[in-house]
């Protein structure tokens, strides 16, 4: 059976890892991003996995460009079954130190890029009454941190936007699925090409995970849709911790996350700025934090093997209950 996926931001970082993971699982994949070198390299990997690929060079903040790209996918690969919104650009620095036009550009790509992608996907999926949109969210869509006001604002907006769309589809009785997969800090190329006012190279907030951790979760949700998935232990405790005590989270972020998002030991690893134009070349999935990034997570193992995990948990609870009952009878 042919399955067709579109991955925005698929030329680098977690998007690139997702393209590889989907192709390995038997999907044909259209890769949409601005940088031709990365897009074509990603498509070559899809084809090397024995699947059909399609290179789409477009800026997701351009609504018509996204619609045109979706038309090409359906003409050349067939009906779109899965659309993964994963594109982002960023600015690192304090809000008042960030140029207004740079801040707005980050919002246009990171938020409106998701809106444009979702619209293009649903315009084709809803009439067919099938298909799946996956929004790649973030723990920072629930907890804002210093130096990333534009990114955090965009990710918060994506949460509200997605919930609105889901409720509308449910009211219509649509069978089209929309999922959100919220990521932890990942070792991606973004920290080497982000627009930054910081004195040192920007870095993810530890703990850092490899992009493949997120890609496996996205592919798992693509094949077994569920509305909300948290990836990584840090995402779980960030979201829950903020719900329990937002004031403590404010204090902790202020105390630790200005220096904690800079890596002076990695200075000199910057490769350019991709805010307005792509950085030439194929930059792959990984950034420069391989030495501190985790390739696995117990929490994401549960995401990938939910039925087995739930079965093991049920068995453990059953055994514990039987032991407690037996002990009670002995008394």
């Amino acid at each position: 059976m042919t399955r067709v996926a579109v991955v925005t931001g698929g030329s680098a970082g977690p998007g690139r890892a997702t393209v590889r993971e989907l192709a390995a699982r038997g999907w044909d994949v259209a890769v949409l991003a601005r940088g031709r070198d990365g897009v074509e390299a990603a498509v070559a990997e899809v084809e090397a996995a024995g699947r059909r690929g399609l290179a789409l060079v477009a800026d997701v903040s351009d609504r018509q460009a996204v619609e045109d790209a979706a038309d090409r996918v359906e003409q050349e690969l067939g009906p779109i079954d899965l659309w993964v919104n994963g594109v982002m650009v960023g600015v690192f620095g304090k809000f008042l130190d960030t140029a207004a036009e740079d801040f707005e550009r980050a919002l246009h790509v990171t938020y409106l890029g998701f809106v444009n992608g979702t619209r293009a996907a649903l315009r084709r999926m809803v009439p067919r009454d099938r298909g799946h949109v996956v929004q790649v969210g973030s723990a920072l869509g629930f907890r804002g941190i210093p130096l990333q006001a534009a990114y955090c604002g965009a990710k918060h907006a994506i949460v509200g936007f997605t919930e609105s769309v889901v409720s509308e589809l449910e009211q219509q009785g649509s069978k089209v699925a929309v999922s959100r997969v919220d990521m932890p800090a990942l070792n991606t190329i973004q920290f080497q090409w982000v627009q930054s006012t910081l004195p040192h190279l920007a870095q993810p907030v530890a703990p850092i995970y490899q992009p493949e951790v997120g890609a496996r979760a996205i592919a798992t949700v693509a094949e077994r849709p569920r509305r909300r998935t948290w990836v990584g232990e840090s995402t779980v405790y960030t979201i829950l911790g903020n719900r329990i005590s937002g004031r403590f989270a404010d204090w902790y972020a202020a105390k630790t996350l200005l220096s904690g998002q800079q890596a002076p030991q990695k200075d000199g690893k910057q490769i350019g700025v991709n805010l307005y134009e792509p950085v030439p070349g194929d930059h792959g999935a990984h950034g420069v934090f391989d030495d501190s990034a985790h390739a696995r997570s117990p929490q994401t193992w549960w995401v990938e093997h939910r039925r087995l995990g739930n079965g093991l948990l049920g068995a453990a609870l059953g055994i514990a209950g039987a032991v407690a009952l037996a002990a009670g009878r002995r008394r």
Side-chain angles (χ1 to χ4, degrees), residues 31 39 61 78 94 100 129 195 238 240 244 255 257 260 292 322 331:
V31 182
V39 167
S61 68
K94 292 183 178 180
D129 204 26
Q195 177 81 293
T238 296
L240 294 182
I244 294 167
K255 277 286 188 182
L257 295 186
S292 56
R331 288 203 287 276

Side-chain angles (χ1 to χ4, degrees), residues 44-304:
E45 292 178 339
V46 172
E47 293 172 345
R51 307 306 307 175
R52 296 180 300 159
L54 179 63
L56 302 167
V57 178
D59 185 330
V60 294
S61 68
D62 182 338
R63 182 175 65 252
Q64 189 57 52
V66 177
E67 291 288 345
D68 293 343
D71 283 340
R72 274 198 63 198
V73 175
E74 300 229 321
Q75 291 164 7
E76 299 185 34
L77 297 183
I80 298 167
D81 300 293
L82 172 69
W83 186 291
V84 180
N85 283 311
V87 72
M88 63 82 62
V89 296
V91 289
F92 262 77
K94 292 183 178 180
F95 173 60
L96 291 181
D97 294 340
T98 303
E101 58 270 23
D102 291 347
F103 195 96
E104 291 169 5
R105 169 63 177 168
L107 292 179
H108 289 162
V109 174
T110 309
Y111 172 54
L112 291 181
F114 275 58
V115 172
N116 292 337
T118 302
R119 181 187 294 109
L122 294 184
R123 279 181 170 171
R124 291 154 180 82
M125 294 174 179
V126 169
R128 295 193 287 260
D129 204 26
R130 63 181 176 85
H132 189 188
V133 177
V134 174
Q135 316 284 45
V136 181
S138 170
L140 301 188
F142 300 86
R143 171 66 239 175
I145 62 174
L147 307 181
Q148 294 201 60
Y151 180 79
C152 294
K155 289 300 186 181
H156 274 72
I158 287 164
V159 172
F161 164 71
T162 301
E163 289 174 348
S164 293
V165 170
V166 166
S167 63
E168 290 174 5
L169 292 173
E170 185 162 306
Q171 186 277 327
Q172 297 167 20
S174 176
K175 294 180 182 177
V176 176
V178 179
S179 301
R180 197 183 67 241
V181 182
D182 297 312
M183 296 293 168
L186 298 175
N187 172 31
T188 80
I189 197 72
Q190 69 154 309
F191 300 95
Q192 293 168 260
W193 64 22
V194 69
Q195 177 81 293
S196 177
T197 63
L198 305 181
H200 301 295
L201 183 76
Q203 75 166 18
V205 177
I208 305 168
Y209 297 87
Q210 294 290 24
E212 289 78 12
V213 173
R216 290 193 297 269
I218 292 168
T220 298
V221 170
E223 295 180 336
R224 296 196 297 274
R226 58 195 312 269
R227 288 189 180 172
R228 301 173 189 87
T229 298
W230 297 345
V231 178
E233 295 86 349
S234 57
T235 298
V236 174
Y237 65 64
T238 296
I239 296 173
L240 294 182
N242 194 57
R243 290 178 180 175
I244 294 167
S245 180
R247 188 167 183 175
F248 172 79
D250 291 340
W251 174 86
Y252 180 82
K255 277 286 188 182
T256 66
L257 295 186
L258 275 81
S259 61
Q261 292 184 84
Q262 299 183 65
Q265 72 277 17
K266 302 288 187 181
D267 284 349
K269 299 291 187 180
Q270 294 91 337
I271 59 173
V273 176
N274 83 327
L275 185 59
Y276 294 97
E277 299 293 337
V279 176
D282 173 29
H283 303 287
H286 286 213
V288 294
F289 299 98
D290 281 329
D291 53 348
S292 56
H294 303 288
R296 298 266 170 200
S297 155
Q299 189 272 341
T300 55
W301 180 91
W302 197 282
V303 169
E304 296 170 51

